[in-house]
């Protein structure tokens, strides 16, 4: 056995054995076995659900979106807001849509008759009221449809009746009151109720016809008066599922959620009534 040399004295030190070195672990040694990495959980494949909805539902549906998605993390809602008649035409032309929420029965019924909407799913979800609004600051003091004839009420915003249900309800009310033809020179037509509201808020028109829910959501416009509900058809918001949807199960989950008490509480917050 070779003698060890003391590192401090440089002398050999007898009687001491070198510390044995451990043999290197072989490939077959247990210590060399690598623990396999845990299998990666595949990401959730989210379904994108496209909802075409009346513009007057914007605020309430935007609030409901995260509440629904929290309950169903595999679904992402994408909203397409606009005038109900315009949305109807888009759907008829094949625009991707899974669920339709209209601000009137006519567009929904037309799609159901063409078998684009599953008629078995059509249900009146909400009700609303038609009101006349004026600018919040310095707006005219008017209290009836007849007051719209006043000389100081120069321009009146109204949704295009052919595509905007609120405009159609306004036309029906004014026609029944004998004022439609008289007020024609004052009308400024808009693509939807949100544009009507913006015209009034900016002072570009002295008055405008919108839904109560739109007026309540605005800080720059105020309700001058409510239009008598007897002058027009009931304002209902039907919901229906598109027959050609590729995500029927997910569409039914949204459908059921929107008719739930939780959703009804949010709609109520924005001034909607629930349909009996």
């Amino acid at each position: 056995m070779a003698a060890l040399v003391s590192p401090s004295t440089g002398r050999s030190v007898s009687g001491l054995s070198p510390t044995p070195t451990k043999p290197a672990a072989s490939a077959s040694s247990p210590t060399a076995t690598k623990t396999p990495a845990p299998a990666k959980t595949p990401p959730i494949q989210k379904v994108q659900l496209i909802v075409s909805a009346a513009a007057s539902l914007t605020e309430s549906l935007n609030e409901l979106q995260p509440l629904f998605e929290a309950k169903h993390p595999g679904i992402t809602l994408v909203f397409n807001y606009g005038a109900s008649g315009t949305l109807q035409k888009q759907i008829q032309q094949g625009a991707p849509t899974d669920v339709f929420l209209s601000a009137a029965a006519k567009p929904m019924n037309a799609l159901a008759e063409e078998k684009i909407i599953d008629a078995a799913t059509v249900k009146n979800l909400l009700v609303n009221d038609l009101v006349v609004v004026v600018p919040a600051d310095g707006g005219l003091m008017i209290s009836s449809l007849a007051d719209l004839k006043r000389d100081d009420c120069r321009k009146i915003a109204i949704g295009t009746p052919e595509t905007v249900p609120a405009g159609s309800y306004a036309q029906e009310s004014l026609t029944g009151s004998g004022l439609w033809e008289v007020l024609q020179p004052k009308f400024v037509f808009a693509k939807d109720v949100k544009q009507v509201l913006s015209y009034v808020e900016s002072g570009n028109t002295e008055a405008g016809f919108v839904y109560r829910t739109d007026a309540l959501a605005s800080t720059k416009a105020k309700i001058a008066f409510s239009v008598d509900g007897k002058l027009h058809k009931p304002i209902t918001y039907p919901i229906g599922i598109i027959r050609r949807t590729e995500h029927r199960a997910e569409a039914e989950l949204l459908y059921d959620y929107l008719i739930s008490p939780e959703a009804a509480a949010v709609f109520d917050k924005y001034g909607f009534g629930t349909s009996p």
Side-chain angles (χ1 to χ4, degrees):
M1 179 179 66
L4 297 180
V5 177
S6 170
S8 59
T9 64
R11 298 176 182 176
S12 62
V13 181
S14 60
L16 294 178
S17 301
T19 303
T21 57
K22 295 181 179 179
S26 65
S28 60
S29 171
T31 58
T33 303
K34 294 183 179 180
T35 304
K40 292 183 179 180
T41 303
I44 296 175
Q45 296 298 316
K46 288 196 172 187
V47 168
Q48 190 177 78
L49 209 60
I50 301 176
V51 182
S52 290
S56 51
L57 290 166
T58 301
E59 291 80 12
S60 54
L61 288 180
N62 284 350
E63 182 167 330
L64 286 168
Q65 179 178 3
L67 300 178
F68 174 79
E69 291 179 351
K71 292 177 181 291
H72 304 285
I75 303 175
T76 298
L77 299 181
V78 177
F79 292 109
N80 173 32
Y81 294 115
S84 298
T86 300
L87 296 176
Q88 172 199 339
K89 291 179 180 178
Q90 291 175 357
I91 294 170
Q92 286 172 323
Q93 293 167 3
T97 307
D98 299 293
V99 178
F100 180 39
L101 286 92
S102 173
K106 184 178 178 181
M108 184 69 74
N109 291 340
L111 293 175
E113 289 173 5
E114 294 178 27
K115 301 189 184 303
I116 296 174
I117 286 279
D118 183 351
T121 66
V122 175
K123 173 183 174 61
N124 285 333
L125 180 65
L126 304 166
V127 295
N128 211 338
D129 298 310
L130 187 68
V131 301
V132 170
V133 293
V134 297
D137 295 327
L140 295 178
M141 297 293 291
I142 53 178
S143 59
S144 69
L145 293 176
D147 285 344
L148 297 175
K149 295 189 297 181
R150 286 169 30 180
D151 292 339
D152 55 353
C153 185
R154 296 182 294 275
K155 294 182 180 180
I156 304 166
I158 180 173
T160 304
E162 291 76 19
T163 56
V164 185
S168 178
Y169 295 129
Q171 180 183 35
E172 187 180 359
S173 301
L174 291 170
T175 300
S177 302
L179 296 171
W180 178 253
E181 295 298 332
V182 175
L183 296 175
Q184 280 281 340
K186 298 186 177 188
F187 291 148
V188 176
F189 293 101
K191 65 178 182 178
D192 56 38
V193 288
K194 294 301 182 186
Q195 189 171 61
V196 171
L197 191 62
S198 71
Y199 286 161
V200 176
E201 290 176 334
S202 62
N204 287 321
T205 65
E206 281 70 39
F209 287 86
V210 299
Y211 296 120
R212 179 178 298 278
T213 50
D214 297 293
L216 294 177
S218 175
T219 58
K220 298 179 181 179
K222 62 184 179 182
I223 296 175
F225 62 90
S226 297
V227 177
D228 188 347
K230 296 178 182 178
L231 292 174
H232 57 74
K233 296 181 180 68
I235 301 175
T236 59
Y237 285 66
I239 182 175
I241 297 176
I242 305 297
R243 288 171 59 93
R244 62 174 176 259
T245 177
E246 296 179 358
H247 308 296
R248 177 70 185 221
E250 291 81 4
E252 289 180 353
L253 287 174
L254 177 61
Y255 180 96
D256 290 341
Y257 178 73
L258 292 177
I259 64 176
S260 72
E262 180 177 337
V266 173
F267 286 129
D268 179 72
K269 171 184 173 181
Y270 286 93
F272 289 98
T274 52
S275 184

